[in-house]
Amino acid sequence: MKVKLAVSIILLTICFAAFGQEKQAVTNVEKGLTKVSVMYPYAEGKTFDLEYYETKHMPMVAGFLGSNLVKYTIEKGVSSGIPNQPLPFMAIGTFYVKSLSDYQAAIGPNRDAIRADFPKYTNITPIILVSEVVR
Amino acid sequence: MKVKLAVSIILLTICFAAFGQEKQAVTNVEKGLTKVSVMYPYAEGKTFDLEYYETKHMPMVAGFLGSNLVKYTIEKGVSSGIPNQPLPFMAIGTFYVKSLSDYQAAIGPNRDAIRADFPKYTNITPIILVSEVVR
């Protein structure tokens, strides 16, 4: 019976230790990563098909990035946070990667395929910000 | 002894179930939240004190938001992702909140304090994007 009790205690300790590490990951997973944010500025007459972007375009690009990609996000512009100002961006797609040079090396040979996909969901020329997650 | 075994099994089940939920939270914690992104455009002659921003300004604003704030992030602009284009933004600070109206209600009475803090770290007028995390 003492052995069973000891085994139970060891298993529970391992389990709670793993649980604790996982909790920490929730808050710090992005810090130190490089973000590549593809930002689609709003202007009159501009269109953006969010469904195509989410189900076709972003998964295609993400597929080129392999294990360098930690995660990617999609956000839909709602409004300016400043009253009476126009919406700054219709949408932003962001890749969180470990290495910018690996990102560039992966995108390079696929640039034509990515560009050819643009007209299928938007008539906006995006701006792209490379940034470092500080916090 | 049968009771002890049963208790051990129940505890382990609860623990692994909690661990499983936590893993899911890592990938989906932001989905459905509202983002308020305060973006500082780069231009010649513009300055930005990232250390003051990270240690003083952002914690002050975050402190106004209470439990509506799920997390906030800070990123430092590195370059444009398009060759020969200028850096789009020097920095972006982002609040992930559950409710936009609660955010606005919390910021309203503190707007003067927030604005008075701007010149201590930057001479840039920010643009603010309110967006919805789709993925």
Side-chain angles (χ1 to χ4, degrees):
Chain A
M1 199 157 113
K2 273 192 179 167
V3 173
K4 283 218 167 151
L5 191 66
V7 168
S8 295
I9 289 167
I10 289 164
L11 277 173
L12 275 171
T13 306
I14 290 168
C15 185
F16 282 117
F19 186 43
Q21 285 192 337
E22 198 65 27
K23 276 201 92 139
Q24 203 172 23
V26 174
T27 49
N28 293 326
V29 69
E30 295 120 12
K31 189 174 170 175
L33 293 178
T34 294
K35 280 179 77 167
V36 180
S37 301
V38 185
M39 309 164 118
Y40 296 85
Y42 169 77
E44 215 168 296
K46 297 297 180 184
T47 58
F48 195 92
D49 180 345
L50 193 66
E51 207 226 322
Y52 185 94
Y53 188 65
E54 188 182 355
T55 58
K56 299 281 198 301
H57 183 79
M58 285 295 276
M60 177 187 77
V61 180
F64 296 145
L65 301 177
S67 63
N68 184 38
L69 181 68
V70 177
K71 71 167 188 174
Y72 71 92
T73 61
I74 297 170
E75 62 195 280
K76 178 191 172 186
V78 174
S79 63
S80 169
I82 303 169
N84 305 317
Q85 292 281 313
L87 175 67
F89 296 101
M90 288 191 85
I92 301 177
T94 303
F95 302 100
Y96 290 79
V97 296
K98 294 173 208 161
S99 154
L100 178 61
S101 55
D102 286 358
Y103 169 87
Q104 288 163 334
I107 292 298
N110 295 295
R111 193 157 283 140
D112 289 348
I114 295 169
R115 282 196 188 145
D117 203 42
F118 277 0
K120 294 184 186 165
Y121 65 90
T122 191
N123 58 359
I124 301 173
T125 303
I127 65 169
I128 304 180
L129 172 67
V130 176
S131 64
E132 184 197 324
V133 181
V134 173
R135 186 192 190 280
Chain B
M1 197 155 110
K2 273 193 178 166
V3 173
K4 283 218 169 152
L5 191 66
V7 168
S8 296
I9 289 166
I10 289 164
L11 278 173
L12 276 171
T13 306
I14 290 168
C15 186
F16 282 117
F19 187 43
Q21 285 192 335
E22 197 66 24
K23 276 201 90 138
Q24 202 172 24
V26 173
T27 48
N28 294 326
V29 69
E30 295 119 11
K31 188 173 171 173
L33 293 177
T34 293
K35 279 179 77 167
V36 180
S37 301
V38 185
M39 308 165 119
Y40 296 86
Y42 169 76
E44 215 168 296
K46 296 298 180 184
T47 59
F48 195 92
D49 180 346
L50 192 66
E51 207 225 322
Y52 184 93
Y53 187 65
E54 187 182 354
T55 59
K56 299 281 199 299
H57 183 78
M58 284 295 276
M60 178 187 76
V61 180
F64 297 144
L65 300 178
S67 64
N68 184 38
L69 181 68
V70 176
K71 70 167 188 175
Y72 72 92
T73 61
I74 297 170
E75 63 195 280
K76 178 191 172 188
V78 173
S79 63
S80 169
I82 303 169
N84 305 318
Q85 292 281 314
L87 175 67
F89 297 101
M90 288 191 86
I92 300 177
T94 304
F95 301 100
Y96 290 79
V97 296
K98 295 173 208 162
S99 154
L100 178 61
S101 55
D102 286 357
Y103 169 88
Q104 288 163 335
I107 292 298
N110 296 295
R111 193 158 283 139
D112 289 349
I114 295 169
R115 281 196 188 145
D117 203 43
F118 277 0
K120 294 185 186 163
Y121 65 90
T122 191
N123 59 359
I124 301 173
T125 302
I127 64 170
I128 305 180
L129 172 67
V130 176
S131 64
E132 184 198 324
V133 180
V134 174
R135 186 193 190 280

